[in-house]
Amino acid sequence: MSKILTYLLVFLSFTAQSADFEAFFPHLIKVEGTFFTVTQYDAGGATKFGVTYAVYKTWCNGKIMEVVPCDKDRNGKITTNDLRLTVLQDVKPIYKTQYWDICKADLIENQAVAENIVDMVVHCGMGYDRSHIKALQRIVGVSQDGKIGPKTLRAINQGNSSKIYNDLVKYRKSFYKKLTLKKRTQKKFLKGWYKRLLILKSIHYSHDEVKKLSPLGFSRVVPMDSNLVYGCYRQTTDLTNQVIQTYE
């Protein structure tokens, strides 16, 4: 069986009527980790399950109904200690509403492509002036307005899924490299960022296909190192998706 046919079959297996957040969430947590961390030079600051304190606080302050209590220690305010006390189910609606839904991933047919797009936004935000979304639009060949609308979704769904996926991986790798050149303090995280891409790809492809097809230059799938997995750029947004803080 040719590489191209194998490639196609793998992607077809991830393709359904629409992508599923429930399938994506455990994949995301696998690369984000479950520990509460505060790491020097990590732009995100205090983080748990990949959710930064800034995102958690913004989410909590914007909630209309407190289905999931945010003030975990019941001291009357939202602090990093509340983030430390969160459990996995507390952050699930944050990822669903603030990332998956904002990317309109339910309208993307290919699961692997949807996961790659949303993971990029989780890990790096939309980018300055929505540069990451514009990069996606450049890959699929539509006008680069930074908004995921009908034309962008149509191009994603009608395009070559494997090419879109791998072009986006290459873009992310290039962005990570450029970021470390601009901010030397981030260089210590580069290996972990590359591993993140490779592990997600190992979920979307068989182990053998990862070794053959990975554009990252690794020859094997490597386990995540919790000391290396931090956000390349954490963008805090409010519930209307307005940028509050940027890093790039």
Side-chain angles (χ1 to χ4, degrees), residues 33-103:
T34 59
F35 298 105
F36 176 76
T37 60
V38 182
T39 304
Q40 186 180 24
Y41 301 127
D42 177 17
T47 304
K48 189 173 182 183
F49 301 118
V51 174
T52 66
Y53 170 61
V55 168
Y56 181 74
K57 186 176 181 180
T58 300
W59 159 259
C60 292
N61 289 339
K63 288 169 65 177
I64 298 174
M65 295 179 62
E66 194 169 276
V67 179
V68 178
C70 287
D71 185 10
K72 301 295 183 181
D73 55 15
R74 300 183 180 182
N75 68 350
K77 53 187 177 181
I78 305 300
T79 65
T80 56
N81 189 52
D82 296 308
L83 177 63
R84 183 182 67 82
L85 295 172
T86 57
V87 297
L88 188 58
Q89 291 304 309
D90 293 334
V91 303
K92 193 173 184 179
I94 297 176
Y95 280 123
K96 176 66 166 64
T97 60
Q98 300 299 286
Y99 298 98
W100 184 267
D101 291 348
I102 283 175
C103 291

Side-chain angles (χ1 to χ4, degrees), residues 5-244:
L5 181 56
T6 302
Y7 213 79
L8 179 61
L9 289 174
V10 172
F11 263 90
L12 286 175
S13 69
F14 272 90
T15 303
Q17 288 299 108
S18 63
D20 179 20
F21 173 77
E22 294 297 328
F24 168 63
F25 187 62
H27 300 165
L28 176 64
I29 297 304
K30 183 174 182 179
V31 294
E32 284 289 359
T34 59
F35 298 105
F36 176 76
T37 60
V38 182
T39 304
Q40 186 180 24
Y41 301 127
D42 177 17
T47 304
K48 189 173 182 183
F49 301 118
V51 174
T52 66
Y53 170 61
V55 168
Y56 181 74
K57 186 176 181 180
T58 300
W59 159 259
C60 292
N61 289 339
K63 288 169 65 177
I64 298 174
M65 295 179 62
E66 194 169 276
V67 179
V68 178
C70 287
D71 185 10
K72 301 295 183 181
D73 55 15
R74 300 183 180 182
N75 68 350
K77 53 187 177 181
I78 305 300
T79 65
T80 56
N81 189 52
D82 296 308
L83 177 63
R84 183 182 67 82
L85 295 172
T86 57
V87 297
L88 188 58
Q89 291 304 309
D90 293 334
V91 303
K92 193 173 184 179
I94 297 176
Y95 280 123
K96 176 66 166 64
T97 60
Q98 300 299 286
Y99 298 98
W100 184 267
D101 291 348
I102 283 175
C103 291
K104 298 182 175 66
D106 283 336
L107 300 178
I108 297 173
E109 295 174 0
N110 187 282
Q111 182 75 26
V113 170
E115 291 192 13
N116 196 356
I117 293 169
V118 178
D119 183 73
M120 176 178 67
V121 175
V122 167
H123 198 216
C124 301
M126 294 286 187
Y128 178 74
D129 194 29
R130 293 179 169 259
S131 59
H132 301 323
I133 302 304
K134 289 178 180 178
L136 169 65
Q137 291 174 321
R138 184 167 62 250
I139 288 169
V140 300
V142 296
S143 298
Q144 298 168 42
D145 61 1
K147 300 176 182 179
I148 301 179
K151 291 182 180 179
T152 301
L153 290 168
R154 188 180 307 114
I156 292 170
N157 290 332
Q158 294 179 354
N160 183 318
S161 296
S162 59
K163 186 177 187 304
I164 293 170
Y165 185 97
N166 282 283
D167 283 352
L168 193 59
V169 168
K170 290 174 184 177
Y171 166 77
R172 292 178 65 179
K173 184 185 177 187
S174 174
F175 171 75
Y176 296 151
K177 183 66 175 177
K178 290 176 182 177
L179 183 58
T180 62
L181 294 175
K182 288 175 63 176
K183 294 187 176 291
R184 295 290 182 178
T185 58
Q186 302 300 293
K187 189 174 182 179
K188 62 184 285 189
F189 303 124
L190 184 60
K191 185 177 178 182
W193 297 340
Y194 284 178
K195 285 183 181 180
R196 182 188 185 104
L197 298 178
L198 188 58
I199 286 178
L200 282 175
K201 194 158 191 175
S202 74
I203 293 171
H204 300 142
Y205 294 94
S206 68
H207 180 77
D208 287 341
E209 288 305 304
V210 172
K211 290 191 292 184
K212 289 188 293 184
L213 302 176
S214 172
L216 303 181
F218 291 98
S219 61
R220 62 188 177 88
V221 177
V222 287
M224 293 302 285
D225 182 341
S226 60
N227 293 321
L228 293 173
V229 185
Y230 301 102
C232 64
Y233 150 60
R234 298 292 185 178
Q235 174 175 288
T236 304
T237 58
D238 63 19
L239 298 185
T240 59
N241 201 35
Q242 298 298 308
V243 175
I244 297 173

